[in-house]
């Protein structure tokens, strides 16, 4: 770990301690706004949440704060230039909308009436994502106080969207429309978590996603399996044979070209994954599964974080009601999703899946394949200077070694990476027990303030790593 | 073809001609009764149909006629002993209930207001099955008239059920409960058809049927394919792999033991099938399919009539709505049906399917297999004396060579074969254009009267073949 760069740890901690109560009061006020983007009855609340955040960012000191409209819910953009024109630019991403929540879903208290019990602040959005957006406001102020500056050490931008919990339907267009305003050297995504309370980690990448539906057409209508069975092709059989052919006997994806060009895990990354205190039995309980199963030659963590997959998300065809019906169904369909890793291009995946399917569907069965919007994978190499800056900032806050994880899911961060051509770094202090999307969502207060502290160090570390890189 | 045995053809034809109008009037009256067993609002009509038939069989001369109750719709039983106590016993099977029908389904006229247009009598039930049951009444009387007898040449029994169009749910129990009254040397099923107007045929067997549903259980609930994808087994994949493993690369059923003990087609049967004027393009149009597909080494007719099959009738699991959902589904299910041929035992099939499935389902996926009621296959060898009696009777009526078919479907005839331990013979004059279960169902009047005439010869032929056999 390097030495402090721009401020003494003690100055930062003192500042945070002095502003802790007011910070929590503010966060609680924000959490009271039920900014549920998926529920039309909360449309006004999502806007209120955007306006509240905009006002608070103004109050934090951002000279420019704007509410950006979309065809759906508004996003908040804020910009605070560094004094040094040559300082690097950093864009913080998060979201101000939240998942639906109702007391009757199993909450012990009202989800939009935040309560602090011991070290925990319970409320919908406490961890996902208001808490993790908001810790930057105090972090930035602590950074200024400790450095005696009036502007941050980097050109700081924030983009806090309002539709993440609804699938970010307008996010890519928003980023494309404002690409010039959003230009940045690095993106800090504050919408993830870390391994565990006692194991601070930084995430280095997310998998991408390609999705398709394959429709298979057989007889013009359901036909009698007695009269015709055994003599014409069955589209449900064709669907099943496609799904069965997705993987070889080593559980590797068997679509020709699927692994072309992928960035393989380095030995160092595999070692780092293996050092994590991973309890497979516990993981299986989280997965509500009784056995692991996956690509030969890889551990479970490697499989979910760093290996591409082909999964069937849905399959259907023929009679699915009670009892039996002796038909050859007229059609069947499968929904497939492919998780992608760095080096895989969704357009290439679409091309090879189409060729593979066409090649395997028998004569007499028609088919149609529809791909929906894809998400690219993102990955920052371990030695990337900006990643190391995040690690140093977290290390100073946590006073512990920072380990590395990845994220198996896919998210709008990839749109930022794509459109802005900038590396994406993940800074999150949430832990698996926080209950994202679940009843009794909470954030651990000590971790929340470690987030504040990390943010206080981050801008100086990023500025320093940029200087080193040049 | 042998010479006439018990009556001159001309006597029979004269008798039929003289009673043709009255016979048609009676049939039309019966067809006016909407005996739709599947529709509760027609419960009274089904009973009225049974009573009507019972009265008509009395009028025909049967000394014993009974309406047999079931938990559902009633059946009609009639018995007419031969004068010769040593005469063989023959049981005629048919049904007096009909499929639902409504003018708005596409009928040109009211389905229960029979109309004769040219050579065709249109009404629901005209061919399936009232016309084919009723031709025996005039046939028996013509037989008596031409032979100058007061009793038929065989101990004649009829069992006309009232729930065939509802899946014969109580039929097997009915037969078991009355097994002693139903004892017979042969069963004549008058509920099938022949190849075509110009190609009279006799059916020699039906396929059997075993059906099961396989439930596959994965995660305790749908789980996120980003967080867990690639590392736990997916029950929809397991379902697909089962279905894909049903057949080998020659489209033969790949379940070990599936073909054990089956009665293979003889060379003579294959020759006879091949002699039929089969137009595959036309058959494909009937199947609403664009290509044939089936077991290597067999023709389409062999595949649908004489080869066992494994078909998936339904498959389902995971998300099947519009768009996508990135889950690993918690469960999946497949509905399979197996058409069976002579020599295959449904109990054996159940045993080997259970073993095969258990062997192929991966660790971490639970499963449950439910078999529903099976139907045994039935097959009468070409040289069976009773079958040859049917062929001779048809030959005299049609004055054409009688060819051989089989039926790919499965029916309650197998219950009669099983419970009564008697060969099942199929005598039907319906043709594919008759539109069973479809709008504008009809029977060809000239074929209907060929049925009457065949029935007139049949009892003597059966009696003679029995004497030869002894």
């Amino acid at each position: 770990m390097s030495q402090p760069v721009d401020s003494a740890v003690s100055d930062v901690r003192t500042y945070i301690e002095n502003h802790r109560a007011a910070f929590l009061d503010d966060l609680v006020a924000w959490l009271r706004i039920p900014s549920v983007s998926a529920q039309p009855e909360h449309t006004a609340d999502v806007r209120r949440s955007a306006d509240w955040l905009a006002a608070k960012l103004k109050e934090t000191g951002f000279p420019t704060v704007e509410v950006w409209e979309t065809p759906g819910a508004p996003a908040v953009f804020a910009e605070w230039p560094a004094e040094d024109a040559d300082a690097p630019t950093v864009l913080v991403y998060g979201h101000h909308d939240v998942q639906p929540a109702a007391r009757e879903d199993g909450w012990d208290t009202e989800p939009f009436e935040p309560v602090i019990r011991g070290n925990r602040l319970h409320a919908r959005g406490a961890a996902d994502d208001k808490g993790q957006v908001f810790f930057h406001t105090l972090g930035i102020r602590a950074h200024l106080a400790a450095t005696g500056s009036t502007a941050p050490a980097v050109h700081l931008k924030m983009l806090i969207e309002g539709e993440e919990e609804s699938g970010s339907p307008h996010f890519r267009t928003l980023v494309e429309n404002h690409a010039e305003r959003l230009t940045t050297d690095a993106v800090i995504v504050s919408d993830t978590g870390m391994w565990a309370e006692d194991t601070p980690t930084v995430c280095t990448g997310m998998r991408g996603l390609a999705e398709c539906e394959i429709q298979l057409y057989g007889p013009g209508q359901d036909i009698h399996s007695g009269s015709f069975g055994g003599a014409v092709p069955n589209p449900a059989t064709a669907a099943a044979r496609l799904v069965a052919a997705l993987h070889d006997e080593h559980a590797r994806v068997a679509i020709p070209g699927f692994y072309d060009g992928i960035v393989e895990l380095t030995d160092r990354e595999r070692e780092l994954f293996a050092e994590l205190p991973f309890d497979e039995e516990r993981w299986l309980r989280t997965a509500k599964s009784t056995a692991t199963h996956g690509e030969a030659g890889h551990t479970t963590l490697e499989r979910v974080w760093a290996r591409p997959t082909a999964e069937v998300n849905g399959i259907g065809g023929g009679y699915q009601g009670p009892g039996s019906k002796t038909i050859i169904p007229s059609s069947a369909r499968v929904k497939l999703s492919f998780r992608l890793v760095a080096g895989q291009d969704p357009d290439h995946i679409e091309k090879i899946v189409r060729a593979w399917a066409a090649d395997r569907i028998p004569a007499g069965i028609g088919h149609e394949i529809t791909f929906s919007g894809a998400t690219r994978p993102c990955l920052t190499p371990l030695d990337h200077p900006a990643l190391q800056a995040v690690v140093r900032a977290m290390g100073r806050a946590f006073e512990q070694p920072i380990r590395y994880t990845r994220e198996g899911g896919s998210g709008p961060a990839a749109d930022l990476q794509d459109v802005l051509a900038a590396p994406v770094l993940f800074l999150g202090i949430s832990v698996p027990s926080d209950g994202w999307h679940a009843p009794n969502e909470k954030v651990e207060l000590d971790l929340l303030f470690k987030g504040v502290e990390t943010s206080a160090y981050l801008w100086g570390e990023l500025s320093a790593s940029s200087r080193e890189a040049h």
Side-chain angles (χ1 to χ4, degrees), chain A:
Chain A
M1 224 176 302
S2 71
Q3 290 303 304
V5 174
D6 59 350
S7 63
V9 167
S10 62
D11 290 351
V12 164
R13 290 187 178 160
T14 302
Y15 186 89
I16 293 172
E17 197 49 45
N18 291 341
H19 295 82
R20 176 187 174 99
F23 169 80
L24 284 177
D25 286 349
D26 281 342
L27 176 55
V28 161
W30 195 18
L31 291 169
R32 286 186 189 279
I33 302 173
S35 51
V36 181
S37 60
Q39 295 176 329
E41 63 266 35
H42 287 297
T43 300
D45 294 319
V46 181
R47 179 164 299 279
R48 197 150 57 91
S49 163
D51 291 341
W52 186 97
L53 176 62
K56 196 55 63 177
L57 291 175
K58 264 283 188 204
E59 197 181 310
T60 300
F62 280 88
T64 303
V65 180
E66 296 169 15
V67 173
W68 283 356
E69 298 300 327
T70 76
V76 177
F77 173 75
E79 187 171 9
W80 194 341
E83 283 170 2
D84 176 4
D86 293 335
T89 304
V90 178
L91 172 66
V92 173
Y93 165 85
H95 60 92
H96 66 88
D97 63 322
V98 299
Q99 278 278 313
R103 177 73 181 264
E104 56 268 29
D105 295 341
W107 285 75
D108 294 334
T109 53
E110 289 295 333
F112 297 105
E113 292 178 12
V115 290
I116 292 176
R117 287 198 294 270
N119 186 43
R120 295 174 165 186
L121 167 56
H122 288 273
R124 172 58 85 224
D128 178 21
D129 183 35
K130 285 173 174 166
Q132 302 203 97
V133 166
F134 204 60
F135 72 56
H136 286 293
T137 61
L138 182 53
I140 293 163
R141 286 162 55 216
H143 161 65
L144 299 178
T147 55
S149 314
T150 55
V154 297
H155 298 301
L156 190 56
K157 299 177 181 181
M158 293 187 80
L159 178 60
I160 310 302
E161 73 158 316
E163 297 188 305
E164 200 274 345
E165 300 296 1
S166 303
S168 302
H170 309 105
F171 185 66
R172 191 178 175 103
T173 304
L174 182 78
V175 174
E176 285 169 348
N177 289 346
H178 295 281
E180 281 192 41
R181 300 285 304 278
L182 293 170
T183 307
T184 190
D185 296 302
V187 176
I188 299 286
V189 169
S190 272
D191 184 29
T192 53
M194 32 179 246
W195 180 264
E197 285 82 340
D198 57 0
T199 310
T201 54
V202 64
C203 172
T204 67
M206 296 181 83
R207 293 196 288 193
L209 180 63
E211 294 176 285
C212 70
E213 174 161 348
I214 307 180
Q215 290 277 353
L216 296 145
Y217 304 104
Q221 62 186 50
D222 291 352
I223 59 173
H224 193 275
S225 74
S227 305
F228 302 107
V232 294
N234 179 329
T237 303
R241 293 179 84 99
L242 271 185
V243 171
L246 280 173
H247 300 94
D248 68 14
E249 70 274 27
H250 307 297
R252 278 175 68 88
V253 178
I255 298 167
F258 187 74
Y259 293 95
D260 284 359
I262 73 167
V263 177
E264 296 284 350
L265 277 164
T266 63
D267 290 346
R268 178 67 188 139
E269 283 171 306
R270 299 185 74 168
E271 279 168 31
L272 288 167
F273 284 2
E275 283 170 13
L276 288 164
F278 178 65
D279 178 341
E280 193 154 86
E281 286 304 313
R282 191 172 160 182
W283 182 87
L284 275 174
R285 284 196 296 277
T286 313
K288 302 190 185 305
S289 297
T290 58
T292 60
H293 176 82
E295 188 186 352
H298 288 282
T299 66
T300 292
L301 282 185
E302 289 169 10
R303 288 168 179 168
V304 294
W305 285 350
R307 298 302 298 171
T309 68
E311 289 284 352
V312 51
N313 310 117
I315 186 168
Y319 183 65
Q320 297 186 47
S324 61
K325 195 171 178 188
T326 49
I327 54 164
I328 297 173
S330 69
S331 68
R333 61 217 65 84
V334 294
K335 290 177 193 280
L336 304 179
S337 66
F338 303 92
R339 295 285 166 177
L340 309 179
V341 301
Q344 282 181 308
D345 171 20
D347 294 337
H348 174 70
I349 296 299
E350 174 171 343
K351 203 181 96 189
I352 63 175
V353 168
R354 286 184 182 279
W356 165 84
D359 199 42
R360 303 192 71 90
I361 295 169
I365 299 288
H367 78 281
E368 196 176 335
I369 308 185
T370 312
F371 275 80
S372 43
T375 304
R376 288 176 193 276
C378 50
L379 179 67
T380 305
L382 291 183
D383 58 0
H384 192 285
L387 176 64
Q388 287 305 317
V390 174
V391 169
R392 286 196 303 272
M394 283 189 82
R396 289 168 66 190
F398 283 88
E399 296 178 292
Q400 265 184 277
I402 305 305
R403 298 177 184 278
Y404 296 87
T405 64
R406 289 201 202 172
E407 165 62 40
S410 312
D415 290 326
L416 294 165
Q417 169 197 257
D418 276 13
V419 179
L420 306 179
V424 171
L425 311 162
F426 299 86
L427 167 60
I429 51 76
S430 181
V431 287
S433 63
D434 284 352
W436 290 31
H437 301 197
N440 299 317
E441 178 180 347
K442 55 86 180 169
V443 67
E444 302 281 327
L445 290 180
D446 57 348
L447 297 180
L448 182 67
F449 285 97
K450 293 289 184 199
V452 171
E453 196 179 338
T454 301
S455 174
Y457 305 132
L458 182 59
W459 323 112
E461 294 288 359
L462 283 166
S463 171
S465 71
S466 165
R467 280 195 303 274
E468 283 161 26
H470 282 92

